[in-house]
Amino acid sequence: MRVSFTVAVAGASGYAGGEVLRLLLNHPEARIGALTAGASAGSRLGEHHPHLLPLAERMLEPTDPDVLAGHDVVVLALPHGASGEVSAALEAAGSSALVLDCGADHRLASAADWERFYGTPHAGAWPYGLPELIRAETGDRQREELRTASRVAVPGCNVTAVTLALQPGVATGVVDPGDAVAVLAVGYSGAGRSLKPHLLAAEAAGSLAPYAVAGSHRHVPEIEQNLRVAGAATVRLSFTPVLAPVSRGILATVTAPLTADVEPAAVRDAWQTVYGGPEGGEPFVRLLPEGTWPTTAMVTGSNVAAVQVAVDERAGRVVALCALDNLGKGTAGAAVQSLNLALGLPETTGLPTVGVAP
């Protein structure tokens, strides 16, 4: 059954908005409608995304709820704190559109966590757009909630990498998430397009730079929330992201203690059970063959997360790794994957599993 839909993209001039459009241009059922922006309104899309040739001459309109209304789907690729106001205006206008928020406004269930890390009033939680997330309470995956969703909060890119790396161990009880450590190498597109000195090529090229150190990163409560959903009674996470001089990609290395009395040989079996091995039960998560380590080059341009797990027996810790494209599976791909589920389409529609190289 064909289910064609019209989609408006707010924040189309940014990296996330551009990647959403790239994927939708290859979606057989998507019809791209209004494209909006803030300061870039009035300019051509091609000035910001010259690679999107079919849309290059389209003009960016102001991000006004009246412009977005009337579409079947609205994707909000806006700065944190902006989408809550736009989504509220759409609801007040009686819009029946499926709304997907690529920002953080609706990810956190805890208002206290939101206010602590973002410093503004909480806009409320929406169904969470990570279909592979294990829901220990119900025994199913998050995709089941997304099948009936009319609002979707797309996860943070770092959050997706850490969650997919570690959740099999949490759900099966082979790791103790009360002492988890995550160190991530993150491409510069994850910082957005804003003009800041530390994002200039002269500063970034050839340099690794940590940021949001010592528990201050806004993705920390979201990761902890996910691991609790996956079955953790207690989560304590040390999270350190490092900007790496690449345009896109995340490589997350996550370690946690091996649970007492669990044999190291049982660890890979846990990941295999959850993700289904190299050919996959999960269409976009690949557990790599033993001894093969994830790289960002494996997944660039795709909606795939490449995962590996090993045991450091000397340290008594499980080491889980995940590589993904922060703009693909980390943002826009997750939005389209969730969109497909909410519209009753095959989950994989329009989403690439093959990356680009070199």
Side-chain angles (χ1 to χ4, degrees), residues 24-89:
L24 290 176
L25 282 168
N26 289 298
H27 194 295
E29 307 301 343
R31 306 293 177 263
I32 297 172
L35 307 179
T36 79
S40 300
S43 61
R44 294 182 307 106
L45 183 70
E47 295 176 39
H48 311 279
H49 300 300
H51 63 296
L52 300 178
L53 293 176
L55 302 173
E57 297 305 315
R58 294 278 297 274
M59 299 299 294
L60 295 173
E61 302 178 67
T63 299
D64 186 309
D66 291 337
V67 173
L68 302 174
H71 294 81
D72 300 311
V73 178
V74 175
V75 178
L76 303 177
L78 302 172
H80 301 322
S83 54
E85 182 178 345
V86 175
S87 61

Side-chain angles (χ1 to χ4, degrees), residues 23 25 72 87 131 135 168 198 223-225 244 253 301 318 340 342:
L23 295 176
L25 282 168
D72 300 311
S87 61
R135 302 195 302 184
H198 76 285
I223 297 168
E224 293 180 343
Q225 174 178 279
T253 302
V318 171
N340 287 335

Side-chain angles (χ1 to χ4, degrees), residues 20-311:
V20 168
L21 291 170
R22 184 180 76 88
L23 295 176
L24 290 176
L25 282 168
N26 289 298
H27 194 295
E29 307 301 343
R31 306 293 177 263
I32 297 172
L35 307 179
T36 79
S40 300
S43 61
R44 294 182 307 106
L45 183 70
E47 295 176 39
H48 311 279
H49 300 300
H51 63 296
L52 300 178
L53 293 176
L55 302 173
E57 297 305 315
R58 294 278 297 274
M59 299 299 294
L60 295 173
E61 302 178 67
T63 299
D64 186 309
D66 291 337
V67 173
L68 302 174
H71 294 81
D72 300 311
V73 178
V74 175
V75 178
L76 303 177
L78 302 172
H80 301 322
S83 54
E85 182 178 345
V86 175
S87 61
L90 283 170
E91 189 163 344
S95 172
S96 61
L98 167 65
V99 182
L100 301 108
D101 181 13
C102 294
D105 293 38
H106 301 283
R107 295 172 186 164
L108 295 179
S110 168
D113 281 344
W114 172 268
E115 290 167 8
R116 176 186 172 193
F117 281 83
Y118 291 87
T120 58
H122 189 223
W126 287 358
Y128 193 69
L130 182 59
E132 300 87 356
L133 179 63
I134 298 165
R135 302 195 302 184
E137 186 175 350
T138 60
D140 57 21
R141 308 278 169 109
Q142 182 63 16
R143 61 172 47 87
E144 299 309 316
E145 183 177 4
L146 292 170
R147 294 187 199 280
T148 58
S150 61
R151 300 286 186 269
V152 176
V154 179
C157 53
N158 296 315
V159 179
T160 297
V162 175
T163 301
L164 293 179
L166 196 61
Q167 72 163 355
V170 173
T172 59
V174 303
V175 301
D176 175 10
D179 179 20
V181 177
V183 178
L184 283 71
V186 183
Y188 269 78
S189 59
R193 301 191 82 162
S194 58
L195 295 175
K196 298 177 181 178
H198 76 285
L199 302 180
L200 298 175
E203 303 289 336
S207 178
L208 295 167
Y211 65 102
V213 178
S216 61
H217 198 287
R218 291 170 168 179
H219 285 172
V220 169
E222 190 181 342
I223 297 168
E224 293 180 343
Q225 174 178 279
N226 285 356
L227 296 181
R228 287 193 295 269
V229 170
T234 302
V235 182
R236 182 174 297 153
L237 174 70
S238 174
F239 175 80
T240 305
V242 178
L243 286 171
V246 295
S247 295
R248 52 202 290 169
I250 294 174
L251 178 62
T253 302
V254 190
T255 74
L258 188 65
T259 303
D261 302 324
V262 171
E263 292 296 324
V267 171
R268 184 172 179 85
D269 290 342
W271 268 252
Q272 180 91 21
T273 297
V274 169
Y275 291 140
E279 300 306 318
E282 284 292 348
F284 296 115
V285 182
R286 293 290 185 268
L287 178 61
L288 301 176
E290 288 188 79
T292 301
W293 305 107
T295 68
T296 56
M298 290 179 180
V299 294
T300 299
S302 80
N303 197 52
V304 171
V307 174
Q308 185 57 281
V309 65
V311 178

